[in-house]
Amino acid sequence: MSAAAEPGSAEPTGVSGPRGDGAGDRVIAEQTGLRSGFCSIVGRPNVGKSTLLNALVGVPVAITTPVPQTTRRAVRGVLHDEGVQVVFVDTPGLHKARTLLGSRLNEVARDAVADVDVLLFVVDAASGVGRGDQFVAELLAEHADRTIAVANKVDRLSKADQLPALDAVSRLGDWAEIVPVSARDGVGVDVVRRLIVERMPEGPPYFPADQVTDQPVEQRIAERIREQAIIRMREEVPHSVAVVVDELLPGSGEVTVVHATIFVERESQKGIVIGKRGAVLRDIGTDARPAIEALLDARVYLELRVKLLKDWQGDPRALNRLGY
C-alpha cells in the first residue's frame, strides 16, 4: 500500500453498468498503442465524487451542490490524453435507501463496481471515517487490488490532522493506493490521474476525441437547472425536485429556446420553488442560463414551469417517466 474542450455532439459509442449497453460492440476503430478503460468513482453521499470527476476530466461534466445525494445517474466523463482514454463513471452515493428512488440509485452505484479497470473509493477525510464508508469498503473489499482510496477534502484539515485521516482510510481495506486530495482546489488530482492512467490496458477508444460525456444535451440542461434549484432549496425540498426539458427549439436570430419543467412531490413545495411573485423560479433560471449558454454555445431563452407529480420518488411509473 502506498500513499501517494467543451463537449461535441457526436453520438456516444453506447455505454449497462459502467461500460454501458453495447460498449465494445460499436467501438471506434482501434488505434495502435492506445490504452483505454473504465474507472468508477464510488463512496457514500456528499464526499465530493462529482467534484473529483470534473477535476479529473477538466470540464464540468456533473453538477455539484452542498446537498447529499445530488447525483442520480451514472454520469460518464471522458479523459482524453496522449495515447490514453479513460471513461470515468460517477455514481450516486451509496446510502440507506428510504424510497424506491434511493433503492434504484444504490443499484446504479453497485452496478458500477463490476467490470471496470480501476475503482476510486472517495472518503471525506475532513468528516472522518463513518459507518457509510465502512459499508462501501465492504462492497469494495474483493476489488481492493484495483481500488485507489481518495482521502478527499484535505484542504479542511491541518497538516497534523492529515496523517490520522489517511491512517483511518487505510484501516478500511488493503487498497492499492491511498492519495490525499482536495478535488475542489486541485491538490492531488494530478497524482490520482497518473495512477489511473498507469493502470489502463491496451484497447480501442470508446468515444470520439471531442466528446467528454455521453449525457444527451437535454439531460445536461436539465441537470444545470436542477443544480440551481437545489442550491436555493432547504430541508426536504431538494430531494423532491426533478427536472425535464420539454422542448429545445431554435428561436429568432441566434437564440435557442428551452422549455423545461421542474417537478415536485407535494403541493406546498410548488410555492417554495416558485417563490413570492415568482422570484425564486426567476433566480433559478437566471443562474442556470449562463451554464446552458456555454453548453449550447448560443444565447438562450429559458422558460421554466413547476408541476406537481405526487410522491414521484416512490412511484415506479413516475420514476420511469423522469428517467430514473
Side-chain angles (χ1 to χ4, degrees):
M1 185 182 343
S2 61
E6 197 60 35
S9 59
E11 287 295 319
T13 56
V15 187
S16 180
R19 294 182 180 269
D21 298 323
D25 296 334
R26 293 181 288 154
V27 296
I28 305 162
E30 289 194 34
Q31 298 176 2
T32 303
L34 181 73
R35 289 183 294 143
S36 63
F38 289 74
C39 174
S40 289
I41 307 173
V42 295
R44 63 177 172 82
N46 213 31
V47 295
K49 298 184 296 298
S50 296
T51 302
L52 180 59
L53 168 70
N54 293 340
L56 288 166
V57 174
V59 295
V61 174
I63 64 170
T64 59
T65 78
V67 176
Q69 298 172 33
T70 294
T71 301
R72 290 179 177 168
R73 293 179 172 88
V75 177
R76 295 174 185 86
V78 188
L79 169 67
H80 304 275
D81 207 345
E82 187 174 351
V84 68
Q85 183 181 98
V86 183
V87 182
F88 291 99
V89 186
D90 184 23
T91 64
L94 284 156
H95 63 289
K96 185 176 181 180
R98 293 179 172 84
T99 65
L100 179 58
L101 173 63
S103 297
R104 289 190 177 184
L105 298 187
N106 280 341
E107 288 176 11
V108 169
R110 288 191 177 95
D111 287 346
V113 171
D115 195 31
V116 293
D117 303 286
V118 180
L119 289 157
L120 292 185
F121 173 27
V122 185
V123 178
D124 182 345
S127 296
V129 170
R131 292 177 61 184
D133 302 300
Q134 293 170 350
F135 173 75
V136 178
E138 291 171 4
L139 179 67
L140 299 179
E142 63 180 298
H143 311 289
D145 61 336
R146 55 189 174 100
T147 298
I148 299 170
V150 174
N152 194 25
K153 305 186 183 181
V154 295
D155 53 293
R156 302 182 185 180
L157 294 174
S158 67
K159 291 291 185 182
D161 289 334
Q162 287 188 22
L163 190 57
L166 292 173
D167 181 63
V169 175
S170 73
R171 293 175 183 273
L172 289 171
D174 189 17
W175 315 119
E177 304 278 354
I178 301 173
V179 186
V181 166
S182 170
R184 184 187 67 177
D185 296 341
V187 175
V189 172
D190 286 345
V191 176
V192 175
R193 189 185 293 114
R194 175 177 58 79
L195 291 171
I196 294 168
V197 167
E198 289 174 353
R199 287 164 168 77
M200 289 296 105
E202 288 190 7
Y206 293 92
F207 290 88
D210 64 345
Q211 189 172 354
V212 295
T213 183
D214 66 342
Q215 299 175 85
V217 65
E218 291 85 358
Q219 183 177 312
R220 296 192 72 186
I221 292 171
E223 285 291 87
R224 293 302 171 188
I225 297 167
R226 187 168 69 90
E227 179 180 42
Q228 295 304 322
I230 288 174
I231 289 171
R232 281 162 182 76
M233 300 299 107
R234 293 294 182 267
E235 298 175 356
E236 83 284 355
V237 179
H239 301 295
S240 296
V241 168
V243 180
V244 171
V245 171
D246 304 305
E247 288 185 308
L248 185 60
L249 304 168
S252 58
E254 297 179 352
V255 177
T256 298
V257 179
V258 178
H259 296 285
T261 300
I262 300 175
F263 291 96
V264 294
E265 291 191 290
R266 289 182 284 282
E267 187 67 37
S268 60
Q269 294 170 343
K270 289 178 63 177
I272 297 173
V273 175
I274 295 171
K276 188 176 181 180
R277 297 180 180 176
V280 175
L281 189 63
R282 186 164 53 250
D283 288 345
I284 292 170
T286 297
D287 290 347
R289 189 179 297 109
I292 298 171
E293 290 181 333
L295 175 63
L296 299 178
D297 193 24
R299 291 189 297 128
V300 166
Y301 172 78
L302 177 61
E303 182 176 276
L304 300 176
R305 60 176 179 168
V306 182
K307 292 183 66 175
L308 175 67
L309 188 57
K310 190 172 180 181
D311 298 327
W312 64 261
Q313 290 190 71
D315 184 340
R317 289 183 297 179
L319 289 174
N320 293 339
R321 174 183 175 184
L322 296 171
Y324 301 129

